Amino acid sequence: MASRSGAGTSADAPSESVASTLSAAAFVRVVCHADGDALAAAGLLARGLRSVDVPFQVRVASLDAAAPAADDGVFVAVGTEHPDADVTIRPTDGPASRRAYDVAVALGRDDGARDDVVASDVTLALAGVVAAGAHPGSVAGPLVEAADGMGAIERRPGVAIPVDDVVDGLAHSTLLRAPFSGDADAVESALASLADPAAPDAETRRSIASIVAFAVAGDDAATPRAATAVERALRPYATPDGPMATLGGFADVLHAAAIERPGTGVALALGHGGREAALDAWRTHGTAVHRAIDDGHTGRYDGVFAVRGDVGGDPDARDDSTTPGRLATVARLVRDFRSPEPLVVALDDGVAALSARETGAADAAAALASEFTSADAAWTGDATRATARFDADAADADVIAAIREAVR
């Protein structure tokens, strides 16, 4: 996502040019935005660097990320821009993970060390694409074909969750918002008509998908958009040899880990394990987000839908990443499943996440950081997703008025 600086130096450079810069580096320091797409992209770059024996460090950051302390080597900003970055990998015409995959492949080709397609890398790239909210077939068709040819993915009926336990998967998923979200007992009740929800047969999976789709569309609080949004979680790509049960589930876990446990997320993206710790982070994230939506106060304004909820982070901590990250997930879910307005803002004290159907998120975030200034005011984002930190004493009414002014 683009940041307030607008200073990326290589966001649109050819993949081969970026790969040449990285392969010549004595050391590469990667700072990636705390989201699933950027984390997958950072992991792909790191894997490419590892294949050509270039040492690297990967760090996940949220708002206003500081440049690496050391000034040696090459500084790469992933999923965001940074004024000091030598290389920028961010969404310009597609997910950051899709572009990072091309750079990683070019790295191997430059050295002659890697001219094949690695199944785990393709799976990670596709998971990043899903985490970015894109459909793999539409923006990464060749990768889907390659993964399918290698048996790395397999389309099947059901729901995109990271685990085989459907109750656990549906209760904590942030790919959808249903009346049972965040509540394992409610999921069990919703599936009570099934003889064995854990059965792996296609018919049971179809039944589960139908129950989920009807629950989402039939929710009194849902908008018409919800019936379309839930399709993202249906008929998933299974990943037989992947770290998670499905591609969508992998994307969901990457996103949650980037926010809740960045170190674990980096290990998962690099292929160093950490599956159980990442799943714990995913459960923590899903529980906090769905509780915030359940308990949050909402308000509808002309063009803006506001949600104020306690996401359980620590907005007073300068390096807190959970508050903006959780708020961003709240905003996205409310935008897709609850909001009758095109722009959603999720608010906590001095922190806001904005999610837009088409445009306006970056403009609104920039307005908050500039109008309600503070020592650590900052914003980062793009047209559809953005977060901001600003004066915690700003009144909600003033914040919403500033947002409406910025996007009208």
Side-chain angles (χ1 to χ4, degrees):
M1 293 190 292
S3 80
R4 57 190 172 84
S5 67
T9 57
S10 303
D12 302 312
S15 299
E16 292 75 12
S17 175
V18 175
S20 178
T21 297
L22 298 181
S23 64
F27 195 89
V28 175
R29 303 180 190 277
V30 179
V31 175
C32 77
H33 188 261
D35 66 68
D37 178 32
L39 178 59
L44 289 163
L45 290 178
R47 293 178 184 207
L49 291 166
R50 186 169 57 197
S51 75
V52 292
D53 296 322
V54 174
F56 60 86
Q57 178 191 56
V58 177
R59 178 167 63 90
V60 180
S62 184
L63 279 164
D64 204 25
D71 59 5
D72 60 317
V74 173
F75 169 24
V76 183
V78 180
T80 186
E81 290 179 350
H82 195 287
D84 298 319
D86 301 300
V87 172
T88 301
I89 303 291
R90 64 172 175 83
T92 51
D93 58 356
S97 48
R98 181 66 183 91
R99 175 160 167 74
Y101 178 83
D102 290 340
V103 173
V105 169
L107 265 170
R109 286 177 180 156
D110 283 350
D111 193 74
R114 179 179 164 195
D115 198 28
D116 60 337
V117 177
V118 181
S120 62
D121 291 0
V122 177
T123 301
L124 178 61
L126 290 174
V129 167
V130 175
H135 190 286
S138 63
V139 302
L143 295 189
V144 172
E145 292 178 7
D148 184 58
M150 293 182 288
I153 60 173
E154 176 184 313
R155 202 75 187 263
R156 64 165 173 77
V159 183
I161 53 178
V163 293
D164 293 326
D165 184 342
V166 68
V167 173
D168 183 20
L170 290 177
H172 298 104
S173 173
T174 68
L175 296 183
L176 58 91
R177 171 67 186 178
F180 53 67
S181 293
D183 186 341
D185 291 338
V187 174
E188 288 185 342
S189 296
L191 301 179
S193 62
L194 300 178
D196 180 11
D201 61 282
E203 188 57 36
T204 299
R205 286 173 172 152
R206 287 192 189 94
S207 296
I208 292 170
S210 295
I211 289 171
V212 170
F214 280 119
V216 169
D219 187 356
D220 290 341
T223 60
R225 178 184 172 87
T228 301
V230 73
E231 293 178 0
R232 180 187 183 203
L234 305 180
R235 200 165 176 262
Y237 288 99
T239 52
D241 300 317
M244 303 297 162
T246 66
L247 202 61
F250 190 11
D252 206 17
V253 172
L254 283 169
H255 181 73
I259 293 165
E260 305 289 342
R261 297 187 188 176
T264 295
V266 170
L268 183 66
L270 265 63
H272 290 168
R275 179 180 186 274
E276 292 307 316
L279 284 170
D280 285 344
W282 166 73
R283 294 184 183 100
T284 297
H285 189 70
T287 298
V289 164
H290 288 299
R291 182 182 297 123
I293 295 175
D294 286 335
D295 299 339
H297 300 286
T298 63
R300 182 179 181 182
Y301 307 88
D302 185 19
V304 179
F305 192 81
V307 183
R308 172 170 272 279
D310 180 7
V311 293
D314 182 7
D316 293 329
R318 178 65 179 81
D319 59 351
D320 172 50
S321 63
T322 57
T323 295
R326 290 177 182 178
L327 286 174
T329 305
V330 168
R332 170 176 56 81
L333 285 172
V334 172
R335 178 199 67 185
D336 289 344
F337 295 91
R338 291 288 185 270
S339 175
E341 301 294 345
L343 177 67
V344 172
V345 56
L347 288 167
D348 205 332
D349 293 335
V351 184
L354 298 115
S355 189
R357 292 177 191 168
E358 295 182 359
T359 188
D363 292 336
L368 295 182
S370 62
E371 292 189 31
F372 306 104
T373 58
S374 64
D376 59 356
W379 75 272
T380 186
D382 60 24
T384 60
R385 297 180 296 172
T387 51
R389 187 191 300 114
F390 52 93
D391 184 0
D393 292 329
D396 286 356
D398 293 336
V399 169
I400 293 166
I403 292 171
R404 293 182 63 198
E405 179 66 24
V407 301
R408 69 175 185 175

